Amino acid sequence: MANNSNDTQVSFPKRVVITGGMPYGNKHLHFGHVGGMFVEADFFARFYRDRIGEENVIFVSGTDCYGSPIMEGYRGRKEAGYTGSIEDYVEENHRSQAQTLKDYGISLDLFSGSGLEPAKPFHAKLSREVIERLYQRGYLMKCSTKQFYDTKAHQFLNGRQVVGRCPVKGCKSEKAYADECDLGHQFDPEELITPVSQLTGTTPELRPVENWYFNLPAFADDLKKLVDKWDSDPQIRPLVTKTVRESLEPPRIYIQEHYQETFDAIKDKLPPFKYFAPEGNQKSFSIVFNSWQERDDARTILEDADVRFRTGKTLLPFRLTGNISWGVPAPDLEDLKGLTLWCWPESLWAPISFTQTLLATAATGRYSSTDWHDWWCSKDTKVFQFMGQDNINFYCVTQPALWEALDWGLIQDTPIADYHILFMNKKASSSGKIKPPMAEDLLNHYTAEQLRTHWLSLALDQKAVSFSPKPYDTSVSHTDKKTGEQILTKDDPRVADPVLKESAFLTNIFNRLARSCFYGATRALDNHLPSVDPEPEVVKRCNKVTEDFEKACYHFNSTKALTIAEDFCREANKRWTKESKTAKEDPKGYEQALSNAFRALRTVTLLMHPVVPKGCEAIAEHLNIPTEVFFSWRHAEEGLPELVQYTGENAEQHEITPLPPRFDFFERHESQR
Ligand SMILES: [Zn+2]
């Protein structure tokens, strides 16, 4: 194994926690949740279970249960006659999400919810502890902002409870909410055009509110050190470090050149700043302040002087509390009472709550430690956090600072961020114009293993990639010459489905190797394993490929890992075809060819296990070798006769289960037959 060799870069931790974000509790899962995140996280969870032992791996996630979109979603359902409670509404969505994840073979140790049993009490307790701890350590600050208030309903309005038009010039969004539009522009509530309360249809007024904020700017130096460290960490993708660096810029304001004169007239009133003239094609100059507070003061002065400007990214205080009724209660501190936690921050520590929940409810001996600190606060552990690129600021800036502030010894996560998975070459979102297909619906056209293999081959770590399933492709393929009728791609039998490219490998290459071995052993060896050893060069090649695969996994390159396994399998098939043909009339030679092929099959099946677990486990079962022996990397470099011996059986007497004719371990979907 590589960690015994000179390659010091590849060494695996004793324990691993894997998290895959939290799907929001107002909807079922669309394909992006599964294809853009969960399948990849699952691949690595399965790889690590095989590699370091399943008692040392925890893979947790859960439904994000709180916040205004859920309240609004529930209100909409209720108006349409729904009679359940808001908990029922979230629970129903959660159940659908859990079923979908199960149908895709996502092997979560726990999929609970921040507001659902059994995690709810753990999460409420931890949330309280986090806020109290931050307060004690002096990292909470009280900030006052304006919030919409419905004078008819006598309550403050949050997020989606207010709808208006986006103030950003030229924005084409259909809806804007209290502080953001559905295209993602963010603004202050004061700026929202024609706000309307969704509760009463009245125009809400703005009232000042006080909330607790986390002093994120206090951690600028820690974050700089962390991102420098990440630069030289081969497990961290450049997408992460680049995005984090952007948020660590000093507080800057951009002003268009034609305001120069107005600016010059008032610049003496501003807090101290550095001036940067426009460079190259830039049409704006910029000014940089020592702190975000001074920049805020400058904003007010510029606004009063009617100078238009734009602010650059920088670290700002991070809001922790709000007054939304559907939220985790925040502890009462000073004069701020009865607040709830804003749902973004509590989702940062939810994976810890889920770990606590899992360890408290698991069967005795299932995990190597039942103390959550051993999983989150130990040098022996790693936390791998999978995320889409939109969440990098949140998980890679706010979270590391929060962990520092808590001083509980929490280790910094290893973030694994992916680019967007597009749909038909466009960015799709359930609130946008292009609706992504629901993950569950795709299973009407493909098997889960086909989709898993396809998504893992997309290399989302490199760039945004399109998912373009043929049954959903309504573009015009061509015009029929005879009838003049337009034929859509989805109905054109001449167009191959790009999603099935990798399935061809499963059925035509991998399955062929497996079948050759099984049918060969049935025909020539009466269902026994070959009694001759595989040739040394075959064994050497198997071990080299295993090592390469392991290295690719260490670097979180699932696409490369898959390619390594595929190429090797093709190579093994070629070898078998050649050797079995040559040895047609030579039983000894034929048995040698079979021995070589079985050794290759053993390796491919081990490597492909995290990709297509069902098919690989079926192969191990037909070989009559227990899966816990077959897939443990302790035996990664051992062949089938050695594996058989771990079961206490004699390899010469061991029998395999013969396959029926034309058997496929990776059966196609019924719609493809
Ligand atoms: Zn907008």
Side-chain angles (χ1 to χ4, degrees):
M1 224 94 334
N3 58 343
N4 298 331
S5 76
N6 294 331
D7 192 343
T8 48
Q9 273 194 325
V10 181
S11 80
F12 291 92
K14 179 163 171 30
R15 291 192 188 89
V16 157
V17 177
I18 291 172
T19 71
M22 294 174 75
Y24 198 61
N26 65 343
K27 56 190 164 208
H28 297 196
L29 297 180
H30 65 69
F31 85 97
H33 290 116
V34 182
M37 169 129 61
F38 275 110
V39 163
E40 194 189 7
D42 183 66
F43 171 89
F44 287 104
R46 289 176 182 274
F47 167 74
Y48 270 91
R49 286 194 193 106
D50 289 350
R51 181 63 187 80
I52 65 172
E54 64 169 7
E55 69 282 11
N56 296 316
V57 177
I58 285 181
F59 178 22
V60 282
S61 176
T63 305
D64 195 345
C65 294
Y66 296 108
S68 75
I70 286 176
M71 288 185 84
E72 271 307 283
Y74 172 63
R75 200 182 55 80
R77 284 283 301 279
K78 238 176 108 178
E79 278 175 5
Y82 182 72
T83 54
S85 65
I86 190 164
E87 286 89 348
D88 295 337
Y89 166 72
V90 174
E91 174 95 43
E92 279 168 29
N93 286 324
H94 167 77
R95 258 192 238 132
S96 150
Q97 294 173 351
Q99 186 60 46
T100 301
L101 293 170
K102 196 169 160 240
D103 292 344
Y104 276 91
I106 308 301
S107 59
L108 286 151
D109 292 80
L110 179 83
F111 183 70
S112 187
S114 49
L116 297 170
E117 294 294 336
K120 187 178 175 176
F122 290 91
H123 189 56
K125 179 168 176 281
L126 181 63
S127 298
R128 198 170 59 238
E129 288 165 356
V130 166
I131 300 302
E132 282 169 353
R133 175 82 172 168
L134 291 174
Y135 180 74
Q136 284 156 10
R137 293 191 32 89
Y139 291 119
L140 290 192
M141 48 207 286
K142 225 186 269 180
C143 295
S144 179
T145 52
K146 297 238 175 77
Q147 188 176 348
F148 287 110
Y149 186 86
D150 186 321
T151 50
K152 201 169 163 194
H154 303 291
Q155 70 170 80
F156 280 104
L157 302 172
N158 278 284
R160 299 207 179 176
Q161 293 173 323
V162 188
V163 173
R165 281 192 296 117
C166 178
V168 173
K169 212 178 153 193
C171 174
K172 292 197 169 64
S173 66
E174 286 171 6
K175 272 183 181 173
Y177 308 107
D179 49 13
E180 62 176 6
C181 81
D182 61 11
L183 293 180
H185 296 125
Q186 299 196 333
F187 42 82
D188 292 330
E190 293 93 313
E191 300 173 275
L192 181 68
I193 300 164
T194 59
V196 176
S197 164
Q198 295 306 287
L199 303 187
T200 58
T202 57
T203 303
E205 61 178 52
L206 282 162
R207 291 191 179 178
V209 282
E210 282 199 310
N211 271 301
W212 290 112
Y213 283 66
F214 169 52
N215 188 356
L216 180 58
F219 292 88
D221 289 339
D222 296 274
L223 289 168
K224 274 181 197 126
K225 270 181 222 149
L226 180 66
V227 78
D228 286 345
K229 209 174 107 198
W230 279 350
D231 273 335
S232 55
D233 185 336
Q235 291 186 317
I236 312 268
R237 295 174 182 166
L239 173 63
V240 170
T241 42
K242 183 176 157 277
T243 312
V244 172
R245 279 229 159 70
E246 284 166 6
S247 72
L248 299 179
E249 288 291 312
R252 189 183 291 266
I253 288 179
Y254 297 91
I255 302 169
Q256 288 183 352
E257 275 181 300
H258 59 92
Y259 286 106
Q260 184 76 55
E261 227 169 277
T262 330
F263 174 78
D264 287 341
I266 55 142
K267 68 180 180 190
D268 291 341
K269 289 191 217 163
L270 297 174
F273 62 84
K274 271 194 209 132
Y275 177 91
F276 294 86
E279 280 176 29
N281 292 333
Q282 290 173 349
K283 295 206 165 57
S284 300
F285 61 91
S286 70
I287 48 178
V288 170
F289 297 88
N290 292 321
S291 70
W292 63 270
Q293 291 98 327
E294 290 183 354
R295 184 174 81 173
D296 264 9
D297 294 342
R299 286 174 67 161
T300 317
I301 297 166
L302 292 169
E303 274 161 13
D304 290 346
D306 284 328
V307 174
R308 289 198 58 169
F309 59 85
R310 175 169 80 73
T311 53
K313 274 192 194 171
T314 194
L315 292 180
L316 293 171
F318 185 78
R319 186 174 145 191
L320 294 175
T321 63
N323 48 30
I324 192 165
S325 57
W326 182 238
V328 180
D332 292 345
L333 296 168
E334 298 181 6
D335 58 334
L336 298 190
K337 297 192 166 67
L339 297 179
T340 51
L341 287 173
W342 200 37
C343 71
W344 275 104
E346 43 104 350
S347 69
L348 287 177
W349 54 81
I352 303 179
S353 312
F354 295 151
T355 304
Q356 294 172 336
T357 310
L358 174 71
L359 294 174
T361 52
T364 316
R366 170 65 185 82
Y367 297 101
S368 61
S369 166
T370 52
D371 181 353
W372 72 269
H373 296 89
D374 286 339
W375 297 87
W376 285 87
C377 308
S378 159
K379 280 203 181 74
D380 295 337
T381 194
K382 284 262 189 186
V383 178
F384 299 132
Q385 190 152 22
F386 288 81
M387 67 193 74
Q389 66 182 110
D390 291 342
N391 286 338
I392 294 177
N393 272 313
F394 181 60
Y395 286 121
C396 307
V397 178
T398 312
Q399 177 174 310
L402 196 69
W403 274 201
E404 285 292 329
L406 287 168
D407 195 30
W408 278 340
L410 289 161
I411 57 153
Q412 292 297 354
D413 294 13
T414 303
I416 299 140
D418 275 320
Y419 288 89
H420 294 297
I421 183 165
L422 308 173
F423 178 62
M424 300 297 175
N425 285 308
K426 302 230 166 59
K427 196 179 167 189
S429 86
S430 22
S431 56
K433 279 202 183 87
I434 300 158
K435 307 272 182 229
M438 299 314 284
E440 209 55 62
D441 294 341
L442 285 168
L443 295 176
N444 294 325
H445 303 278
Y446 305 99
T447 67
E449 302 224 311
Q450 288 176 331
L451 289 165
R452 289 174 65 99
T453 317
H454 177 63
W455 285 330
L456 284 169
S457 73
L458 289 180
L460 287 167
D461 57 319
Q462 305 290 328
K463 59 180 191 315
V465 180
S466 180
F467 173 60
S468 306
K470 185 181 165 189
Y472 291 78
D473 193 343
T474 52
S475 64
V476 175
S477 171
H478 66 278
T479 306
D480 191 295
K481 276 183 194 140
K482 280 184 198 148
T483 63
E485 198 190 338
Q486 288 193 326
I487 306 295
L488 302 183
T489 304
K490 72 188 182 76
D491 302 320
D492 187 345
R494 295 178 302 182
V495 177
D497 187 344
V499 173
L500 290 176
K501 198 172 142 247
E502 297 77 17
S503 315
F505 162 75
L506 295 178
T507 297
N508 301 338
I509 313 292
F510 188 7
N511 189 60
R512 202 175 124 221
L513 179 65
R515 277 206 319 208
S516 303
C517 291
F518 278 89
Y519 293 152
T522 300
R523 196 163 47 232
L525 306 173
D526 194 22
N527 294 322
H528 287 86
L529 293 173
S531 58
V532 288
D533 288 339
E535 287 168 65
E537 59 162 285
V538 171
V539 175
K540 209 173 135 196
R541 183 82 187 108
C542 286
N543 292 345
K544 172 73 170 70
V545 165
T546 304
E547 209 174 284
D548 291 347
F549 180 91
E550 182 189 48
K551 210 175 280 177
C553 288
Y554 174 82
H555 290 110
F556 291 103
N557 194 337
S558 53
T559 307
K560 188 175 175 191
L562 189 54
T563 308
I564 289 168
E566 282 189 17
D567 289 350
F568 174 65
C569 191
R570 284 175 211 282
E571 181 188 311
N573 260 325
K574 263 187 211 148
R575 187 184 183 108
W576 161 255
T577 307
K578 198 174 132 221
E579 291 180 349
S580 60
K581 209 181 263 170
T582 316
K584 223 173 185 174
E585 310 296 329
D586 164 21
K588 277 256 137 58
Y590 190 79
E591 192 171 359
Q592 183 64 62
L594 260 182
S595 178
N596 293 344
F598 264 115
R599 187 65 182 79
L601 176 66
R602 184 273 180 282
T603 295
V604 179
T605 309
L606 172 68
L607 303 188
M608 288 296 288
H609 185 224
V611 186
V612 281
K614 227 174 87 195
C616 291
E617 282 162 23
I619 291 175
E621 280 154 19
H622 280 80
L623 289 166
N624 288 326
I625 297 175
T627 49
E628 64 272 20
V629 173
F630 193 100
F631 295 109
S632 166
W633 274 61
R634 258 175 301 166
H635 311 308
E637 298 190 348
E638 292 169 278
L640 297 175
E642 289 98 319
L643 297 186
V644 167
Q645 279 166 4
Y646 289 110
T647 67
E649 223 188 318
N650 182 327
E652 275 159 39
Q653 281 155 13
H654 183 80
E655 280 187 41
I656 60 169
T657 305
L659 299 182
R662 290 187 300 280
F663 191 77
D664 192 348
F665 285 104
F666 307 98
E667 264 189 13
R668 292 164 203 267
H669 190 269
E670 53 188 25
S671 70
Q672 299 158 9
R673 282 179 216 148

